[in-house]
Amino acid sequence: MHDPLRAKAKVVLYSAATFVGAMGLAAGFGWSQSSSALPTIDEAPRVSADAVRPALDLSEAFVNVAEVVTPAVVRIEATRIVSAPSADDVPEPLQRFFGPGQPESQPRLAGGSGFIISSDGYILTNDHVVADAAEVRVYFPDRRYFDARVIGTDPFTDVAVIKIDTEEDFETMSFGDSEGVEVGEWVLAIGNPGFGAGNQLDYTVTAGIVSARGRGLRLIQNELLNDPRTQDVAGYAIEDFIQTDAVINPGNSGGPLVDIEGRVVGINSAIASQTGFYQGYGFAIPINLARRIMEDLIEYGHVRRARLGVSIDDVAPEDAEAFGLPSVAGVLIQSVEEGTPGAEAGLLQGDVIVAIDGESVGYVAQLQGRVAMRRPGDRVELTVYRGGEPVDVSLRLGEAPINDAAPVVAAAEAVAEERLGIMVEPLTGELADQFGYPEAGGVVISQVERASAADRRQLLRGERIIAINGDDVDTTEDVRGVLGSVEPGTIVQFVVGRPDGSSRVVNVRMPGG
């Protein structure tokens, strides 16, 4: 006999069992809202915002500075052509690696950071980032890139200017006053410390304080001494660095050091390290000096450096006592070169320069920097201690012979495919066998130059060129005919094939020049 109550009870029990089972399954998949097995997480602040307001305000300031400044910071890639060693220069056991067919030179990719100083594409960076570069490419935070040309470089201050030629308007940096920078104030270093390992560390922002000013490391001078072209004028190097503990690593070179109001106060240039990586000491070129160098590079293509014509040293405590100086500060003249402004003005060995145009001078790099801020032909007033008494000396600055270095001879203009970085040959039977094609015919890429535009876009040696910019290609003359009409900066579209019959599209930008 059918019992309705018992039937209903069975339905209720079955539904309850099904619900419990479903909830267990849902919990296993992470669908349930809560579980007694999980602890309750407290997300309430442990310290009130008012209690840490200064830190929160500083953090917000860093965020605001980074947001405003980063769009004007760029990554720079420079391609240099370096000489490959010949077999005669290599120890005999290794000569088998340098046999016939080795190239006399090969490209090497280097680079660092930079920042835009004008909306029409002028960029400030380090000399060592772009010096002797055959090609320069500039990358932006939004992943666009442009070819750039070097306007001028100054190895004596490690400052360089490059330019992007385009109609586009760019975000720019604002300049501060490096003379007003104080030890202990907050600064941010911005750049690309991941250069050389891809773009994983692009546009990194680090914060720290100004640790010291007026650091002279002899880094620039040592580089000049190692270059036969600049050995004789290495003494004109200016090293008056701002020291910071904001993290700077290789690849940050040329990036901006900015104050808490987002103004550039220096160009990141060097680190003091025994490992090649950051160990707490970063150094930046004062922006006031860099700005003066920049103006000459844009106006003349080189720097017109003012000079006194004296050999100088920092004052030591013994010098201060011997010469009757009021403090251990100033610049001791060790010699005066004949026929120079210093000699004509009557400067003497043993004079101690303590001021220029009323601005006190404490050490050699400071005097060099302040003279470099002037132009040849400017008149300056020096205050020197002579015989224990201050003496005023007026003179007109001369021009330093720093532009007499041997010029770099420009290479002959390359044909279009060489500018892209490829060599092409007819796909003969021999090459077809070498690259694995079932039959000969057409044009094959026989070489791809390392670090070239083609290499960066991964055109590969052994690929057969099917078409360029929509035109079918059958001979090397076809390739040169199509590429010969392509303007610098224009995208070239390749359709290339492989021995297995597959094909792909590769877009490459034609380098300038």
Side-chain angles (χ1 to χ4, degrees):
M1 177 177 161
H2 177 66
D3 187 347
L5 183 61
R6 179 176 297 181
K8 290 181 180 179
K10 287 183 179 179
V11 171
V12 170
L13 289 174
Y14 177 80
S15 300
T18 302
F19 176 79
V20 171
M23 287 298 295
L25 183 62
F29 282 104
W31 292 342
S32 61
Q33 294 296 318
S34 62
S35 171
S36 59
L38 294 177
T40 301
I41 304 299
D42 184 0
E43 297 182 355
R46 307 301 288 179
V47 180
S48 70
D50 289 339
V52 292
R53 177 57 56 194
L56 291 174
D57 290 344
L58 180 61
S59 177
E60 185 64 23
F62 288 160
V63 171
N64 292 337
V65 171
E67 182 178 357
V68 170
V69 169
T70 301
V73 180
V74 297
R75 178 163 61 94
I76 299 172
E77 287 187 3
T79 304
R80 297 187 178 99
I81 305 300
V82 297
S83 298
S86 67
D88 295 336
D89 298 327
V90 179
E92 187 173 349
L94 300 178
Q95 285 189 8
R96 64 190 181 90
F97 295 107
F98 295 88
Q102 289 292 327
E104 295 182 1
S105 61
Q106 53 188 343
R108 178 176 295 170
L109 196 62
S113 306
F115 55 95
I116 304 173
I117 58 176
S118 67
S119 60
D120 58 346
Y122 281 99
I123 295 169
L124 202 54
T125 185
N126 285 144
D127 167 81
H128 75 261
V129 171
V130 298
D132 300 326
E135 294 179 3
V136 177
R137 178 171 288 180
V138 175
Y139 290 81
F140 283 75
D142 61 7
R143 300 178 67 179
R144 293 177 304 153
Y145 64 85
F146 300 87
D147 290 328
R149 57 189 174 93
V150 177
I151 299 299
T153 64
D154 180 35
F156 300 92
T157 56
D158 197 24
V159 173
V161 178
I162 64 176
K163 188 177 189 301
I164 300 169
D165 292 319
T166 178
E167 297 298 322
E168 184 168 347
D169 286 339
F170 297 103
E171 298 285 342
T172 64
M173 298 291 292
S174 175
F175 282 20
D177 179 11
S178 53
E179 281 294 312
V181 170
E182 295 181 338
V183 174
E185 74 171 85
W186 283 102
V187 287
L188 281 75
I190 305 172
N192 295 273
F195 181 86
N199 58 1
Q200 294 91 337
L201 297 180
D202 277 0
Y203 312 106
T204 299
V205 179
T206 58
I209 62 169
V210 174
S211 305
R213 292 184 52 184
R215 294 301 200 200
L217 308 177
R218 297 181 63 88
L219 295 175
I220 297 176
Q221 188 173 57
N222 289 338
E223 287 293 326
L224 295 171
L225 287 171
N226 290 330
D227 189 337
R229 298 173 297 178
T230 54
Q231 285 176 343
D232 295 338
V233 288
Y236 288 101
I238 299 178
E239 303 186 55
D240 191 18
F241 292 111
I242 298 169
Q243 181 181 328
T244 178
D245 66 352
V247 177
I248 296 174
N249 272 309
N252 274 115
S253 292
L257 185 73
V258 303
D259 63 17
I260 202 66
E261 294 179 281
R263 298 170 302 188
V264 183
V265 294
I267 304 177
N268 303 324
S269 182
I271 58 175
S273 171
Q274 295 179 340
T275 65
F277 294 95
Y278 178 75
Q279 290 185 306
Y281 306 96
F283 301 92
I285 303 161
I287 196 61
N288 290 14
L289 174 62
R291 183 173 186 171
R292 168 69 186 84
I293 301 304
M294 173 197 76
E295 291 169 352
D296 268 6
L297 293 177
I298 293 175
E299 186 173 357
Y300 305 112
H302 61 269
V303 174
R304 298 183 63 220
R305 175 71 46 75
R307 72 181 300 215
L308 294 171
V310 295
S311 175
I312 51 181
D313 275 332
D314 287 328
V315 164
E318 294 82 359
D319 300 324
E321 183 177 341
F323 295 126
L325 303 180
S327 63
V328 185
V331 177
L332 173 61
I333 296 178
Q334 295 288 15
S335 63
V336 182
E337 187 178 339
E338 292 184 9
T340 64
E344 294 172 359
L347 291 177
L348 303 174
Q349 183 185 54
D351 285 347
V352 178
I353 302 173
V354 295
I356 178 171
D357 288 337
E359 297 178 293
S360 62
V361 170
Y363 50 91
V364 166
Q366 190 173 41
L367 175 63
Q368 289 178 320
R370 288 186 174 156
V371 170
M373 294 295 292
R374 276 72 173 178
R375 293 180 180 271
D378 286 352
R379 182 166 290 280
V380 297
E381 300 290 331
L382 300 179
T383 302
V384 304
Y385 261 76
R386 182 182 296 165
E389 299 292 334
V391 177
D392 291 330
V393 177
S394 178
L395 60 82
R396 192 176 298 279
L397 296 170
E399 184 169 354
I402 62 173
N403 297 308
D404 299 336
V408 178
V409 179
E413 185 174 354
V415 296
E417 68 267 26
E418 291 175 349
R419 281 194 282 132
L420 284 172
I422 60 175
M423 292 182 61
V424 296
E425 296 183 36
L427 184 58
T428 61
E430 182 179 350
L431 287 177
D433 291 341
Q434 178 181 339
F435 293 126
Y437 285 93
E439 59 184 9
V443 179
V444 70
I445 299 174
S446 58
Q447 294 290 339
V448 178
E449 188 177 89
R450 181 171 173 248
S452 64
D455 186 39
R456 289 170 177 163
R457 293 295 299 143
Q458 299 183 4
L459 275 176
L460 302 177
R461 179 175 180 267
E463 288 186 312
R464 186 169 63 88
I465 300 177
I466 299 171
I468 302 175
N469 288 344
D471 293 331
D472 292 340
V473 168
D474 295 315
T475 66
T476 56
E477 288 74 17
D478 292 341
V479 172
R480 295 185 179 113
V482 177
L483 293 180
S485 61
V486 175
E487 295 293 329
T490 303
I491 300 295
V492 182
Q493 186 174 95
F494 288 85
V495 178
V496 291
R498 296 177 174 176
D500 62 3
S502 64
S503 63
R504 64 192 185 104
V505 176
V506 181
N507 294 307
V508 185
R509 191 182 302 277
M510 177 66 76

